[in-house]
Amino acid sequence: MVGRLRLWSGYVLFFYVVTHLLNHTLGLISLRILEAGRHWFVLMWHNPIGQTVLYGALFGHFFLALWSLYRRRALKLSSWEWTQWILGGLIIPLGAIHVVGTRLAHELYGVEPGYPWVLGSLVAGDWTGIVRQFGLPLVVWLHACIGLHFAWRLRPWYRTWLPLLYAIALLVPVGGIAGAAIALRDVADLAQQPGFLANLFERAHVPTQEGIANLYAISRNLQIGALVLLVGVLSARPLRDLWERRAGVVRLDYDERRSVAQPTGLTILEMSRVAGIPHASVCGGRGRCSTCRVRIGGQDRAKLPAASPDEQKVLARVGAPANVRLACQLRPPPGHYRVTPLLPASAGPVEAYRRQPQAHGGEHYVAILFADIRGFTSISEGKLPYDVVFLLNRYFRATGQAIEAAGGRLDKFIGDGVMAIFGLTSEPQAACRQALDAARRMGDALSDLNEAMSGDIDQPLRIGIGLHSGPTIVGEMGYARATHLTAIGDTVNIASRLETLTKEFTAELVVSQELLDRAGADLSAYESHDVEIRGRQGRLTVRAVKKVSELTALS
Ligand code: HEM
Ligand code: HEM
Ligand code: FES
């Protein structure tokens, strides 16, 4: 909730700055047009709604930033995060006098806060005023762009729109600063005329010397107030730690070797960070990416607080079951828990939006394909290693493309063989049809490859494919970077066995009748065998297809 409010307050401020900078850009044309543009700007922002939204966002954003500083336990920020925080902090000393000198000067002294007043004051003042005024848009823009980049980079549309956003991020500030600079030069030129500035200030209803001193004092007090709040928050942090230490200890077991104990109050992600345990957190702990998710168990699991609606939404997006929580949002009460991070620490933005209901393990009806090149050892004999790798890679590309085009998931390459899964996102019948389609496409791809390489290989490559379907355990398995979604169980073993039977039946494809029935495919024209499978009761009926490309006739 806090994160979302801060983001929305950031959006409002960003929109304000964009309109302000677009207005400044008109300074490239003339002072008159610049001031005319301001009337549209004033129409948008100088009304009760505009002012409430703008100043509500400004103060809200500031207090939410302080709150997030208080809540964060481990101040181990990335260099980008540090940059954003420091730039955010700089906005106050740079911008205070500008806001006080325009809005508050209008409220207190009836000053007309237009470009003549702001630019005239800069010309009349010393160079520090100009540096501050032109430093402000740079600092604000960088601060906002870093924030928006981190908020948006996980969204699926971001990559597509990046070139356009990049152009906007460059053009808006350059246009605004250039327009303001040209306007400042124009006013400085006009100020050479005697009495010009005096006339300009008079029309802007400039306050008395005393009034101006008062505005500076208010600006200074605002900055001191912000600093006091910042120091207050920083000193409240150790007190909070003391208080929480008295409340009890949280113990987390990551595995047999790694266990962490910390005072209550930290999130699981913060505990990982404090203990130096690598933990994925693509959004930096803002509860948006889901990459920090952990399976949580242990004797005190029942004590855990329920997930907030925001956390539930993110968990639902990735289809997480009840025992999975976001490590960056969960602050366990004192107790003993077991946690298993579900993504490798190196997980990137892609994982954040990938929906895999099977990722946490479950039984699904899938079709499995195993394929192998027949007699590859004799083909590779007498060839240079370079040629063998080249040949294999062409074969892998052709088969991989055939599997993906049919809607399957390439599971792994094992030596010169390949395993693929169908049905992770489709119904059983569609899965079985996809598997048959993939086999046919692989046959076609192999014919094309043989033709293309006829001069390079003595004999054409031949393939053996085994297909079977059934309920299978599917889940993310492995360790660290070697973790991926795969399937295990009888169905997989049988598909692999059918692939080896292609040699015995001198066929390119051996497919179980079970899969054909599910697919609604009639292969009764092909020879049928009842085969015995080790570890399985009863015999399995299969069909052997000599040339897999003949399957083209299948619908
Ligand atoms: C990106 C950095 C800037 C921020 C965040 C900013 C912010 C503000 C704010 C909050 C106001 C008060 C508006 C109101 O209460 O309605 C204001 C007014 C104004 N600013 Fe800026 N400003 C920035 C840069 C500049 C620059 C570079 C100039 C050009 C010299 C400029 C010229 C003005 C003028 C002329 C007004 C009076 C507009 C009006 O209220 O009609 N600002 N600005
Ligand atoms: C016109 C002025 C400002 C604009 C346009 C702006 C814009 C933004 C945006 C778009 C974000 C990203 C929101 C998110 O990720 O939740 C953000 C975050 C933030 N802003 Fe601002 N901001 C402004 C002023 C300030 C000020 C005055 C401060 C502090 C004194 C500040 C401190 C922060 C902090 C601490 C964050 C969050 C960083 C984090 O959670 O890691 N901002 N801002
Ligand atoms: S770190 Fe992104 S959701 Fe937890």
Side-chain angles (χ1 to χ4, degrees):
M1 184 65 180
V2 168
R4 244 180 335 148
L5 276 178
R6 199 186 51 229
L7 182 60
W8 277 99
S9 59
Y11 284 158
V12 171
L13 295 173
F14 183 68
F15 182 61
Y16 176 83
V17 171
V18 169
T19 52
H20 205 32
L21 289 174
L22 287 178
N23 191 170
H24 300 351
T25 308
L26 298 177
L28 290 172
I29 308 172
S30 75
L31 280 174
R32 192 189 303 275
I33 302 278
L34 174 67
E35 193 56 11
R38 189 174 73 86
H39 289 294
W40 291 99
F41 174 78
V42 164
L43 217 61
M44 197 181 329
W45 293 105
H46 281 205
N47 58 67
I49 298 178
Q51 292 286 291
T52 314
V53 169
L54 176 62
Y55 286 96
L58 190 60
F59 286 105
H61 192 76
F62 173 67
F63 283 109
L64 291 171
L66 286 183
W67 177 243
S68 97
L69 183 63
Y70 174 75
R71 290 288 281 177
R72 266 183 187 243
R73 308 295 144 143
L75 281 186
K76 285 188 181 168
L77 305 177
S78 69
S79 43
W80 279 111
E81 284 176 310
W82 274 118
T83 314
Q84 200 198 8
W85 282 59
I86 290 169
L87 290 172
L90 273 178
I91 293 172
I92 298 171
L94 288 178
I97 188 63
H98 180 52
V99 181
V100 171
T102 51
R103 175 91 320 240
L104 213 63
H106 175 72
E107 299 301 331
L108 295 180
Y109 303 108
V111 172
E112 180 52 49
Y115 284 95
W117 160 240
V118 173
L119 296 171
S121 316
L122 289 180
V123 169
D126 63 8
W127 61 272
T128 54
I130 297 179
V131 170
R132 198 186 300 127
Q133 187 72 35
F134 283 83
L136 179 63
L138 275 179
V139 167
V140 167
W141 195 256
L142 265 177
H143 167 82
C145 285
I146 296 174
L148 293 178
H149 170 71
F150 280 96
W152 289 347
R153 73 186 177 134
L154 307 174
R155 312 278 167 99
W157 50 262
Y158 188 57
R159 292 256 145 243
T160 322
W161 290 95
L162 197 58
L164 181 69
L165 293 173
Y166 197 65
I168 294 174
L170 220 62
L171 289 178
V172 172
V174 167
I177 292 174
I182 299 282
L184 181 67
R185 193 202 56 192
D186 290 349
V187 172
D189 286 348
L190 290 168
Q192 303 297 328
Q193 301 167 15
F196 174 83
L197 277 183
N199 188 16
L200 183 150
F201 287 147
E202 196 184 315
R203 275 193 285 151
H205 308 299
V206 66
T208 57
Q209 283 303 322
E210 197 188 333
I212 290 182
N214 188 30
L215 289 174
Y216 271 107
I218 294 176
S219 156
R220 212 173 27 251
N221 289 341
L222 276 178
Q223 294 174 58
I224 293 172
L227 194 66
V228 167
L229 282 173
L230 179 69
V231 173
V233 166
L234 289 176
S235 22
R237 289 167 52 90
L239 294 179
R240 172 208 61 196
D241 291 349
L242 266 180
W243 176 257
E244 285 170 353
R245 207 156 286 149
R246 284 183 31 188
V249 167
V250 178
R251 174 174 292 282
L252 300 182
D253 292 340
Y254 286 76
D255 51 37
E256 307 78 48
R257 286 177 299 116
R258 293 178 304 174
S259 184
V260 177
Q262 287 287 333
T264 330
L266 276 74
T267 64
I268 291 180
L269 181 66
E270 284 166 340
M271 288 186 69
S272 298
R273 283 180 178 169
V274 169
I277 294 177
H279 200 138
S281 58
V282 168
C283 72
R286 292 178 182 78
R288 294 181 189 144
C289 69
S290 84
T291 54
C292 64
R293 58 188 186 264
V294 290
R295 189 180 316 113
I296 185 142
Q299 61 197 45
D300 293 319
R301 209 192 119 199
K303 289 193 203 164
L304 292 172
S308 69
D310 281 348
E311 186 186 343
Q312 280 173 16
K313 221 160 84 184
V314 175
L315 288 170
R317 190 179 76 206
V318 290
N323 61 348
V324 168
R325 297 289 298 269
L326 294 184
C328 67
Q329 302 301 307
L330 180 58
R331 294 177 197 275
H336 194 170
Y337 309 91
R338 202 161 16 83
V339 292
T340 315
L342 291 172
L343 294 184
S346 57
V350 176
E351 277 83 355
Y353 269 78
R354 192 190 291 159
R355 190 184 162 81
Q356 291 173 346
Q358 309 87 349
H360 310 290
E363 204 178 57
H364 291 266
Y365 192 99
V366 294
I368 303 286
L369 176 151
F370 268 91
D372 205 11
I373 309 181
R374 286 285 85 95
F376 184 74
T377 330
S378 63
I379 294 170
S380 59
E381 258 167 24
K383 285 212 177 311
L384 292 172
Y386 172 84
D387 291 333
V388 175
V389 171
F390 176 74
L391 179 65
L392 267 183
N393 277 337
R394 285 202 66 171
Y395 160 73
F396 286 152
R397 189 168 63 220
T399 49
Q401 283 171 346
I403 288 163
E404 283 173 357
R409 182 189 170 93
L410 200 56
D411 184 73
K412 53 174 101 59
F413 289 112
I414 317 147
D416 56 41
V418 57
M419 171 180 160
I421 310 174
F422 300 82
L424 291 176
T425 52
S426 53
E427 294 304 312
Q429 188 190 34
C432 295
R433 285 175 164 264
Q434 286 170 345
L436 283 167
D437 185 33
R440 181 185 59 76
R441 285 171 186 266
M442 284 167 75
D444 290 348
L446 200 72
S447 305
D448 293 346
L449 187 61
N450 277 331
E451 207 169 302
M453 302 200 46
S454 55
D456 300 321
I457 44 180
D458 315 330
Q459 45 181 311
L461 296 177
R462 282 173 302 113
I463 198 169
I465 303 173
L467 288 183
H468 183 51
S469 63
T472 311
I473 295 169
V474 177
E476 265 179 8
M477 296 173 220
Y479 174 67
R481 280 172 188 272
T483 305
H484 75 298
L485 192 74
T486 189
I488 51 166
D490 263 2
T491 310
V492 180
N493 301 339
I494 293 172
S496 163
R497 173 88 182 100
L498 298 190
E499 182 257 306
T500 54
L501 281 175
T502 55
K503 273 179 250 169
E504 198 173 301
F505 299 143
T506 51
E508 283 186 349
L509 169 69
V510 173
V511 48
S512 69
Q513 191 59 44
E514 154 80 25
L515 184 144
L516 293 171
D517 291 345
R518 279 279 177 167
D522 178 14
L523 260 63
S524 51
Y526 294 91
E527 62 189 62
S528 151
H529 301 270
D530 278 341
V531 295
E532 206 169 313
I533 306 279
R534 197 151 29 107
R536 182 189 154 105
Q537 282 191 339
R539 297 173 77 81
L540 184 76
T541 308
V542 298
R543 298 263 169 197
V545 179
K546 298 278 179 213
K547 286 229 51 88
V548 75
S549 49
E550 289 171 11
L551 289 181
T552 320
L554 263 182
S555 62

